[in-house]
Every structure is written in structure tokens, then in C-alpha cells.
Amino acid sequence: MRWPKWFRRRVEKTTRTRPFDEHALPEPVAPTLEQSVEEGMLLAEYATRMAVKNHIVVDTIQYGTAYDPAMHAMEAAAMLRELASEQGVAAGRIEEELEAAEKLSGDAEHPHDYRRVDADNLRLRRDAAIRLAAALRAKADSEEELLALVERGRQDAWDEVGRAIEAGLDAFSGAEALKADYEREKPARLKLLIWRDLARLEEERTGY
């Protein structure tokens, strides 16, 4: 007697997978010297721009100092030179590590235990630090690039102040936020605040 098809026990099919083999993974491509320097410059410029933004916000909003691009350019130059000095120190430290690593073979015992196999990577890091230090000093000596950096910092500062004003409006509005047309009216209220309240604040600070 044959059992009906619907009564037969279904056998679940399983998919066989191979065990993970890390040796089958492609070798990561090492960054070039140019890529390393470019990445370092991007990070340094971002850090400098954020520092300039903070100086602008504190000086103009908290202390009421008139906005002076030249003053903030001096601050940006000082920070760029400080970052360049740090890269110079790093290059010297890496050079010492490279000299020690070239005399050692075998496997490393911890992440900072460099051996002969790490020599190429250490040379890349050393050369990148030297090139980056030179590029940072060149930017710190360029008035045009400093003022462009300050201008981006000024825009960042204005964006931050604008978001703070919007947050203050949202908190002050209270029940107004529940209205269906709240989002539509918010830009107009923000403009009114800028034209009226900020103008009055400037008049109180400057006397005209």
C-alpha cells in the first residue's frame, strides 16, 4: 500500500556550506603615499575648521567681538603649525621604530612589536608624516588658503547659530508646535527674529 503524497513526511533540504577560510580572502591593498597624505590633510583641515568655528562663535556671540577674518586666520595658522609639529615628532618616532624593526625577524608579540616584515609599512607612515608636516606648514604660510579656511569656519558657525535659534523657537513656541501650519510658518518667524531681535541686540552692543 502506498501512502498518499500529503501523508508522506517532508524532508527538509539543507545547504552544505564550506568552512570559513581566512586565507581565501583577498589581500588588502596598501594605501599609497599620496593617499595617506591626502587623508591626513583632510583630517587636519576639518579639525582646524572646527576650531575656527568655535572661536568665531565664542568671540562674536559670547563676547560680542567684531568679526575679524585676519584674527581667525592667525588662529588657524597656529593650529596648522601645531599639527605639523606633531607630525614631525611622529616621523622621528617612526624612524626609530623602523631602525629597530629592521633588525628583528619572527612574529610580533603585540600590535606595537614591529618586525622586519613591517618595514615597508613603517617607511610609508614615516614618509607620509614628513610630507604631511610640510604640506601643513605650507598651508599655514598661505594667506589665501587661511582666509578660505576661515570663511568655511564662519559658514559652519552661522549654521550652528541658526540651528540653535530654530531650537529656541521650537522650545518657545510650545502649543504653537501643535498647529498644522507650524512648519509652514517657522521660516517666517525665524526671519522676523533675525530682523527684529538680532538687529536690536546689535544696536544695544554698538550704540547705532
Side-chain angles (χ1 to χ4, degrees), residues 83-96:
L83 293 173
S85 178
E86 291 178 0
Q87 289 300 311
V89 172
R93 185 186 67 251
I94 296 170
E95 177 65 29
E96 294 177 356

Side-chain angles (χ1 to χ4, degrees), residues 84-151:
S85 178
E86 291 178 0
Q87 289 300 311
V89 172
R93 185 186 67 251
I94 296 170
E95 177 65 29
E96 294 177 356
E97 294 171 342
L98 174 60
E99 291 179 359
E102 288 179 329
K103 302 174 184 177
L104 299 174
S105 59
D107 297 330
E109 297 181 357
H110 54 79
H112 299 288
D113 181 21
Y114 299 113
R115 302 300 175 102
R116 193 174 299 136
V117 70
D118 302 309
D120 288 343
N121 182 45
L122 289 171
R123 289 191 191 93
L124 173 65
R125 290 173 52 195
R126 178 202 60 193
D127 295 345
I130 294 172
R131 287 267 298 269
L132 180 56
L136 289 170
R137 291 191 182 95
K139 183 176 284 290
D141 293 336
S142 171
E143 181 180 2
E144 181 180 355
E145 293 196 42
L146 287 174
L147 290 177
L149 195 59
V150 169
E151 173 58 22

Side-chain angles (χ1 to χ4, degrees), residues 3 19 24 42 72-73 93 149 151 164 170 178 192:
W3 296 100
L42 288 174
H72 296 296
R93 185 186 67 251
L149 195 59
E151 173 58 22
D170 291 342
L178 300 178
L192 178 61

